[in-house]
Amino acid sequence: MTSITINPAASITGEISVPGDKSISHRSIMLGAIANGTTTVRGFLRGGDNMATMSAFRGMGIQIADDGEVVTIKGRGLHGLTEPLDFIDCGNSGTTIRLLTGLLAGQSFFSIVTGDQYLRKRPMKRVVEPLSRMGALIQGRQSASLAPLAISGRPLNAIGYDSPISSAQVKSAIMLAALYADGETSVREPSLSRDHSERMFRLFGASLKTFNNGVTVRGGVELNGQEITVPGDISSATFFIVAALITPGSELLIRNVGVNPTRSGAIEILRAMGGSIEMLEEREISGEPVADILVRSSRLTGTAISGNVVPRAIDEFPAICVAAACAEGTTTINDARELRVKETDRIAAMAKNLRLLGVPVEESDDGMTITGVDVLAGGSVESFGDHRIAMSLSVAALVSKGGITVSDTECVATSFPTFFQLLEQVARG
Ligand code: S3P
């Protein structure tokens, strides 16, 4: 296990780009594989999670070439995948396993999906239950609530599904299964989660309608290969946004970041805390809003976070917790129970680590209350094998007394392999 010690910084300055969006990268491979013709992807994220998706499709007979700049996928149409010879290892990636489960449910072959020790603890019933209603046959540990999942592909029927949770992985799994169902399948969620699948389905020519917090997909419509450019991942950018906000004397420009409104909740929250964050050169690339983001260090104050903004900021809470720890006053987070079933229980993990850094934190079932301090104590903290916990604590170290050692940092490579290099590049002093 690799530990890394990050020292305090005098400021965070310069200009960077962050790697491609993880969610969009996954979807580009999946839709490219089942489209007719060639799909090219620029800006693809070569992190552990996306490489798991890539090798899953190679294992189902799809040719995927990567020259280091462009990923080229030779799509074989809706019915062109072949039965994998072995189980599909999704590694640490919840998006890979859940979206694939939806896609595989309607194939004419058998497959098994599984992943690492963390993924095998994460809830799968949320996709198995609606897919079973569509006629899918999926078995697995604990009544198919945990991976490995064994999927006996078969014809599916369309359903209307009211999801009890706002989850893009659930929505997207059903949308992918819907491509193989007879008729129109609808999914509605309590509040809108990231809509990358909707945008990319449209780009590839799927028959799709969106409505308030929901989407309808017609089955049996073939897709056509596309040329896709993936924007920088706002979830990765957020670590640097928080780093620049909390470190005095900072000014950082992050170029080419995806600012889809279903993903930019953290920017709203950090602005509400007093953060100086400007969006420059707003534009659209491959159906996704993109901007350059200029951040200056700011005096932050506590805020109350709950409701519809939560799914739009769901991956950013570890970084938001660090901003809250450095803010004046108290920040409350509610309606964020989903954080307990991410790569680790992120409420428990951040509460434990922030307390180690001298920050008063109270946990609740669906959130936490954090009271900001003047200076974070230094010391040793744990990543719990979760990339976003590791990166947010590395950012906290920049304003700590004497630095922070973060344990088990290999996990950072699942979403942001160049994180530590970029941090070194912009940290002065
Ligand atoms: C993702 C959806 C979110 C998010 C994850 C990526 C996606 O998960 O946390 O990192 O690409 O669809 P949930 O759908 O479980 O909220």
Side-chain angles (χ1 to χ4, degrees):
M1 278 207 306
T2 315
S3 296
I4 293 190
T5 301
I6 311 282
N7 295 317
S11 69
I12 300 293
T13 47
E15 204 181 298
I16 55 168
S17 306
V18 291
D21 187 275
K22 180 156 76 72
S23 293
I24 299 174
S25 295
H26 281 302
R27 287 157 172 81
S28 67
I29 298 283
M30 293 183 186
L31 292 194
I34 58 166
N36 291 307
T38 301
T39 289
T40 54
V41 189
R42 289 185 163 68
F44 181 77
L45 171 62
R46 291 170 185 79
D49 282 10
N50 293 113
M51 297 318 272
T53 293
M54 202 189 252
S55 64
F57 282 90
R58 284 183 170 143
M60 292 189 282
I62 301 296
Q63 272 182 34
I64 306 176
D66 182 2
D67 67 6
E69 198 190 327
V70 185
V71 173
T72 305
I73 306 147
K74 299 273 182 219
R76 292 174 42 114
L78 274 188
H79 298 282
L81 300 177
T82 54
E83 184 171 86
L85 298 178
D86 204 344
F87 65 86
I88 297 174
D89 184 0
C90 302
N92 189 244
S93 176
T95 307
T96 307
I97 198 167
R98 295 202 180 103
L99 271 59
L100 267 186
T101 301
L103 177 60
L104 293 170
Q107 304 298 323
S108 56
F109 55 74
F110 173 77
S111 54
I112 298 174
V113 288
T114 188
D116 70 9
Q117 54 165 323
Y118 303 100
L119 195 61
R120 280 182 274 117
K121 284 189 202 133
R122 296 183 64 189
M124 296 299 146
K125 207 68 203 183
R126 53 182 58 202
V127 291
V128 170
E129 202 265 327
L131 293 171
S132 302
R133 286 199 207 178
M134 297 176 81
L137 180 55
I138 304 171
Q139 291 169 306
R141 292 191 298 129
Q142 300 197 14
S143 313
S145 58
L146 294 174
L149 299 175
I151 305 160
S152 303
R154 51 173 54 201
L156 302 176
N157 47 268
I159 58 165
Y161 187 64
D162 265 314
S163 176
I165 48 174
S166 297
S167 159
Q169 292 179 356
V170 171
K171 172 172 64 179
S172 306
I174 298 170
M175 289 173 68
L176 286 162
L179 293 173
Y180 296 88
D182 65 335
E184 294 197 334
T185 295
S186 299
V187 197
R188 188 198 304 271
E189 44 188 350
S191 65
L192 190 62
S193 65
R194 65 191 65 192
D195 67 356
H196 303 303
S197 295
E198 292 91 315
R199 288 171 187 261
M200 204 180 280
F201 269 52
R202 209 166 256 144
L203 211 61
F204 275 78
S207 168
L208 161 143
K209 284 181 289 225
T210 49
F211 53 95
N212 210 6
N213 298 348
V215 58
T216 302
V217 177
R218 173 138 38 97
V221 176
E222 289 283 343
L223 309 177
N224 298 309
Q226 297 297 316
E227 290 181 5
I228 293 176
T229 299
V230 181
D233 196 322
I234 193 166
S235 297
S236 299
T238 301
F239 297 109
F240 285 90
I241 295 175
V242 171
L245 288 176
I246 62 176
T247 312
S250 299
E251 181 169 309
L252 183 69
L253 181 66
I254 313 174
R255 288 207 184 275
N256 191 38
V257 183
V259 290
N260 180 321
T262 61
R263 289 288 298 285
S264 55
I267 293 187
E268 281 166 46
I269 292 166
L270 293 167
R271 278 181 175 157
M273 295 174 78
S276 164
I277 306 170
E278 279 178 64
M279 299 234 207
L280 310 173
E281 308 280 339
E282 294 189 46
R283 54 209 184 259
E284 190 166 304
I285 299 175
S286 298
E288 292 278 349
V290 176
D292 300 334
I293 297 181
L294 179 64
V295 197
R296 293 194 182 88
S297 41
S298 308
R299 194 178 289 274
L300 301 177
T301 48
T303 189
I305 307 165
S306 64
N308 291 349
V309 76
V310 172
R312 294 189 291 109
I314 194 68
D315 288 339
E316 283 58 82
F317 279 92
I320 291 167
C321 287
V322 171
C326 301
E328 195 182 319
T330 295
T331 295
T332 55
I333 303 170
N334 287 302
D335 303 327
R337 216 194 162 278
E338 277 294 301
L339 294 178
R340 295 213 179 265
V341 291
K342 292 294 174 191
E343 285 79 333
T344 189
D345 176 342
R346 287 183 175 160
I347 295 176
M350 286 312 291
K352 178 163 187 217
N353 282 313
L354 289 178
R355 284 189 198 116
L356 286 172
L357 301 176
V359 181
V361 182
E362 277 167 43
E363 260 187 66
S364 65
D365 179 48
D366 70 343
M368 57 216 286
T369 302
I370 300 167
T371 303
V373 294
D374 286 340
V375 186
L376 298 176
S380 293
V381 293
E382 285 175 60
S383 75
F384 295 92
D386 182 324
H387 53 138
R388 300 201 205 282
I389 303 290
M391 289 187 274
S392 59
L393 295 167
S394 303
V395 167
L398 301 169
V399 292
S400 67
K401 202 167 161 222
I404 291 177
T405 301
V406 186
S407 72
D408 194 3
T409 50
E410 287 94 344
C411 53
V412 165
T414 61
S415 71
F416 200 164
T418 53
F419 171 76
F420 290 109
Q421 279 132 271
L422 275 182
L423 193 59
E424 209 173 315
Q425 185 187 318
V426 294
R428 313 271 163 240

